[in-house]
Amino acid sequence: MKKFLKVLGVSCVLALLGACGKEKGEEKYPAKPVEVIVAYKAGGGTDVGARILMSEAQKNFPQPFVIVNKPGADGEVGYTELLTAKPDGYTIGFINLPTFVSLPLQRHTKFSKEDAAPIMNHVYDPGVLVVRANSPWNTLEEFVEEAKSKPEELTISNNGTGASNHIGAAHFAYESGIKVTHVPFGGSTDMIAALRGGHVDATVAKVSEVTSLIKNGELRLLASFTDERLENFKEIPTLKEKGYNVTFGSARAIVAPKGTPQDRLDYLNSVLKTALESESNIEKSNNSNLPLMYMSPEELAQYIDTQENYIKEIVPKLGL
């Protein structure tokens, strides 16, 4: 019996040591796939950029990055799932600014900007005003003139009520003194489809989402929401040139739930920054018209605050 108990005791100790060893093994990050939440439909600008970047990042990451599309409520569905996830480094995701900070200011949400731990910024995508190529408007002046003569008749699609493109379109209307009807959709893919199908007169989009349609002659670019003319469309004026003090674009950034261990955030930043700056990612992003713009976690946190202040200042004037 003593011999049996002695053997049993040794077995228990070995089992305990084995369990501890396994626990230590599990602590080595990453021990399983990392879910990457995209709060918009597949095929949109955010989704395309996410897939390019994560495919490149996968080369230097020992576990799979699994992209999960969670569209709905102008991004709120995906943002909520992202920021209420367990803060262990196994759930990260993309946020779009200013939508990410505008939603909690406009309605009750289960997340706020304080719930996000910044990892890095990925893209800054300037806003543009586009119409169908067979539309009667060849210039911004013609569009504004008709809008003024027909208040609320012209329609502009956007990616959701209170979302980034809606704010940009409403700010343009406010500065130009026109009244249009804003038509919300669940994401950029649907709002552009509505324009292509002739269901709306115009849309405010990000340049990456419509460049190919402009180049193939399906859509016409009337103006950009930038300080300087776009590099690939030097012939197209900015709104500022025409006297409308509006600049607008969308930053697409990567964050984790607040409370994620700092060493894991640092590791993710290193892997993703290396991927962003790689020749392969730059080439693929350029081919997809994605304007890359890295921001460090500290720079991103400051930018998020700046965007929130912009929304607080401008949105009350727009009546959204």
Side-chain angles (χ1 to χ4, degrees), residues 11-25:
S11 298
C12 288
V13 169
L14 290 174
L16 181 60
L17 289 173
C20 291
K22 182 179 180 182
E23 185 175 326
K24 286 182 179 179

Side-chain angles (χ1 to χ4, degrees), residues 29 87-89 91-92 116-120 254-272 297:
Y29 179 82
D88 56 6
T91 303
I92 63 175
I119 296 175
M120 74 170 200
I254 305 167
V255 303
K258 180 182 178 181
T260 300
Q262 189 61 48
D263 59 338
R264 298 185 180 188
L265 293 174
D266 293 341
Y267 180 34
L268 287 165
N269 172 269
S270 177
V271 169
L272 294 172

